Amino acid sequence: MTTTISANESTVRVGENDVQMFSGGSGPPLLYLHGAGGNAGWQAFHEALAQTHTVYAPSQPGFNGTPRPRWVSTINDLAHFNLEMVQQLGLNQYILAGHSMGGWVAAEMAAMGQESLKGMVLIDAVGIRPKQSDITEIFMVSGQTRDGLRFHDTSQVPNYEELSREMTPEETNTDHSNREMASRLCWKPYMHNPSLPFYLAKVNSPSLIIWGKQDAIVPAECADLYHQVLSNSTVKVIDNCGHSPQVEKPQEFQAAITGFMSGLS
């Protein structure tokens, strides 16, 4: 389900591993990390971000076109791998953005070191356990159920017909492999790290937390929990929106992230 607009697909060597990379645009660097569903390729929101930034959208280890190194079995491992990738790409003063599981990985990366980090954007991120409810279980349900949880109102999702079409056999195999990798990374404890709030207390990089108010997977209270532990953070809650505001509400999402990035010195 790849939407290619004007990106280049390439391979980046990280250690002994080849990472599938989609990139495009020009300007300051922005690294975007996908969620547990895997990398859908270069999307419309990547293209919008690429109007002002050089956007890198890798397939993280174990997802899509990037094999899993034997030592990568946890979100913490993934964060270490990605930091090595940042060094390999030569990124400095970069924006680190991540959606859902990718937001959790981004938060772990920021906690490990923020010397090269200009700012961070967390989009409906897992990683911190909610107090009033639970993160919805998405691994033991059907693909149709997962798709239903992703959006608040499918009638407002651009190109929803393409997003919801029946997958090809190859896409089905990739989707199964992606879910298997996500389960390996996120199953126990489910979708969170009990220590993450304590790690994040030392992160003072400017951070934007974007959330769909009607997120049916990760409760909106998690936006406040991230805000409480990230001392230099702001929150943007998008109404009438589910778990993927970058897809369901692209204009509101773009306005929020552009405003944040333009304010960084």
Side-chain angles (χ1 to χ4, degrees):
M1 297 184 182
T2 299
T3 302
T4 301
I5 303 177
S6 62
N8 294 312
E9 181 178 355
S10 61
T11 300
V12 176
R13 190 74 173 172
V14 180
E16 299 180 352
N17 307 281
D18 289 327
V19 176
Q20 180 186 38
M21 180 71 70
F22 297 89
S23 60
S26 61
L30 185 154
L31 178 65
Y32 180 90
L33 303 178
H34 62 76
N39 191 349
W42 191 257
Q43 300 292 296
F45 65 87
H46 293 130
E47 182 73 9
L49 294 170
Q51 301 309 302
T52 56
H53 287 71
T54 302
V55 177
Y56 299 90
S59 297
Q60 298 183 82
F63 293 89
N64 298 87
T66 303
R68 178 183 73 89
R70 289 194 300 175
W71 60 271
V72 174
S73 297
T74 68
I75 292 292
N76 191 268
D77 295 338
L78 205 55
H80 280 285
F81 182 95
N82 285 344
L83 286 173
E84 185 177 354
M85 178 178 64
V86 167
Q87 290 184 327
Q88 185 64 30
L89 291 169
L91 303 187
N92 188 38
Q93 292 301 292
Y94 70 103
I95 303 292
L96 176 59
H99 171 242
S100 195
M101 182 199 77
W104 179 7
V105 177
E108 297 274 4
M109 290 170 64
M112 291 175 183
Q114 42 187 325
E115 298 78 12
S116 300
L117 195 60
K118 187 173 185 179
M120 179 169 65
V121 181
L122 304 180
I123 309 156
D124 293 71
V126 296
I128 294 182
R129 185 176 184 177
K131 297 180 179 180
Q132 305 301 323
S133 54
D134 294 308
I135 299 173
T136 301
E137 201 285 298
I138 60 170
F139 295 132
M140 303 297 289
V141 299
S142 68
Q144 184 177 10
T145 299
R146 285 196 301 270
D147 290 343
L149 292 168
R150 182 182 180 190
F151 300 117
H152 173 61
D153 180 1
T154 57
S155 68
Q156 65 185 353
V157 178
N159 300 317
Y160 181 71
E161 295 78 9
E162 170 65 17
L163 293 173
S164 60
R165 67 169 172 80
E166 185 175 352
M167 289 187 287
T168 66
E170 182 181 1
E171 289 170 338
T172 299
N173 289 337
T174 298
D175 180 69
H176 178 77
S177 177
N178 287 344
R179 296 293 168 185
E180 183 179 21
M181 183 61 185
S183 293
R184 178 191 297 270
L185 295 169
C186 304
W187 183 251
K188 188 178 288 187
Y190 182 69
M191 291 288 193
H192 75 283
N193 176 0
S195 299
L196 184 58
F198 302 97
Y199 297 163
L200 294 178
K202 65 183 179 183
V203 175
N204 55 18
S205 297
S207 300
L208 172 64
I209 301 160
I210 302 178
W211 226 271
K213 186 175 182 179
Q214 286 76 27
D215 190 332
I217 297 176
V218 189
E221 70 165 295
C222 290
D224 291 328
L225 295 175
Y226 266 111
H227 180 49
Q228 289 170 19
V229 296
L230 288 168
S231 61
N232 193 11
S233 65
T234 57
V235 178
K236 172 61 178 178
V237 176
I238 300 177
D239 197 9
N240 296 314
C241 183
H243 184 62
S244 298
Q246 74 278 23
V247 178
E248 186 170 1
K249 289 277 193 171
Q251 293 180 336
E252 290 90 335
F253 171 81
Q254 187 65 24
I257 194 170
T258 299
F260 168 72
M261 294 189 300
S262 65
L264 300 176
S265 56

